[in-house]
Amino acid sequence: MAAARMGNMEIQPDDNYTWRKYGQKEILGSRFPRAYYRCTHQKLYKCPAKKQVQRLDDDPYMFRVTYRGSHTCHFFTKSPISSAAVTATTATVRYGLCSAIWTLLFL
DNA sequence: TCTATTTGACCCGA
DNA sequence: TCGGGTCAAATAGA
């Protein structure tokens, strides 16, 4: 299996919970497949939060991690985001030699 | 044995 | 119709 696949998980730092991969699909326009994660175990059905990891075709060393949904399963007691609608927070975090773009989407 | 992970197929929306 | 997203079943590893 693809080293790329494992590479995906290699970069994934555990935020506060464990994520269960429930799917993977190749996206047109991207040379790398996108992975879909969800809360595992008991939070499987209670946490609408979903995690989406996609590699940038331009920068294989850059991973775009998109969190979408409420942070029911996260320990984000203080959310700087109070505005309604869709708020996107983009932050650049560097893990070792790779850079990751974290985007938080609250629906 | 249990849980997590993987692949394929199906479903829904634009 | 195509693309994207999700679910389910099977398999592997601990």
Side-chain angles (χ1 to χ4, degrees):
Chain A
M1 306 183 178
R5 221 166 261 158
M6 293 211 73
N8 242 346
M9 292 212 63
E10 262 188 83
I11 318 293
Q12 304 318 310
D14 289 14
D15 300 309
N16 287 301
Y17 281 91
T18 43
W19 296 93
R20 171 239 195 189
K21 184 192 289 183
Y22 67 87
Q24 189 170 315
K25 203 66 181 277
E26 297 187 36
I27 310 300
L28 263 69
S30 299
R31 292 143 54 184
F32 307 98
R34 178 184 294 178
Y36 302 93
Y37 295 88
R38 237 183 131 176
C39 277
T40 193
H41 205 52
Q42 304 175 7
K43 291 95 185 180
L44 177 67
Y45 236 75
K46 296 186 175 183
C47 181
K50 282 174 278 185
K51 188 180 182 180
Q52 169 185 118
V53 182
Q54 187 187 357
R55 248 191 291 292
L56 302 185
D57 56 315
D58 247 35
D59 295 277
Y61 291 96
M62 198 170 267
F63 299 84
R64 187 170 200 178
V65 185
T66 308
Y67 290 82
R68 62 150 112 170
S70 311
H71 44 66
T72 309
C73 83
H74 280 179
F75 276 32
F76 282 92
T77 316
K78 45 175 184 173
S79 43
I81 306 170
S82 305
S83 307
V86 182
T87 310
T89 308
T90 311
T92 310
V93 187
R94 295 184 183 174
Y95 283 95
L97 301 173
C98 306
S99 307
I101 301 180
W102 301 82
T103 309
L104 303 180
L105 298 177
F106 291 84
L107 303 178

